[in-house]
Amino acid sequence: MLTYLRDGEPAVMSDAEAADFARRQAAAVQGQPAPNTQLTFLALFSPAEQAAIVTSADAQIRLFCLMAAGSTFVSLADPRVVAGAQMLESAGLIAAGRAAQVLAGQAPASS
C-alpha cells in the first residue's frame, strides 16, 4: 500500500496500482509507450467495436482476444498487438484507420 496526497487529502494506492504507476513512469522516462492493462487496452475500442470483436467467429480474432486477455500488460508496440489491430481492421470489425488510432493509444471519438 502506498499513501499519497490527492487534491490535498490523503489517499491510498494498492500495491498493484503502485506497481502499474511505477511501470508507466519508467516507460515515460525512457520515451517508450506505457503498457496498457487489459482494461485500458479494451477502452481503446468503442462499445460497438468491443461487441463486434468478442462475438467474432473468426478463429484468429478469437485467439488474439485470448492472448490479450491472458496478458498482464498489453504493449501497443508489440508486433502481435500491431498485427491483431490490423487484423481487426481488415476483418471490418473496426473502421478503416482505427487500427492506427488504437496503436497510438487513442480512444474512439465519443458518439
Side-chain angles (χ1 to χ4, degrees):
M1 299 287 260
L2 175 70
T3 303
Y4 67 102
L5 290 177
R6 180 175 49 202
D7 299 327
E9 297 292 327
V12 177
M13 188 181 295
S14 72
D15 291 341
E17 291 169 322
D20 182 46
F21 178 78
R23 275 190 286 278
R24 289 177 179 275
Q25 291 300 309
V29 169
Q30 295 172 5
Q32 299 175 4
N36 290 282
T37 63
Q38 295 168 19
L39 210 51
T40 57
F41 178 65
L42 189 58
L44 295 174
F45 298 94
S46 72
E49 291 170 334
Q50 293 171 11
I53 293 164
V54 300
T55 60
S56 174
D58 184 283
Q60 289 300 108
I61 291 170
R62 293 176 64 89
L63 179 60
F64 174 65
C65 290
L66 285 171
M67 289 171 49
S71 301
T72 303
F73 292 98
V74 179
S75 170
L76 300 178
D78 186 309
R80 297 168 294 185
V81 175
V82 172
Q86 292 168 343
M87 177 176 53
L88 296 175
E89 188 174 296
S90 294
L93 301 176
I94 60 176
R98 281 288 293 133
Q101 291 175 337
V102 167
L103 295 171
Q106 297 173 355
S110 299
S111 330

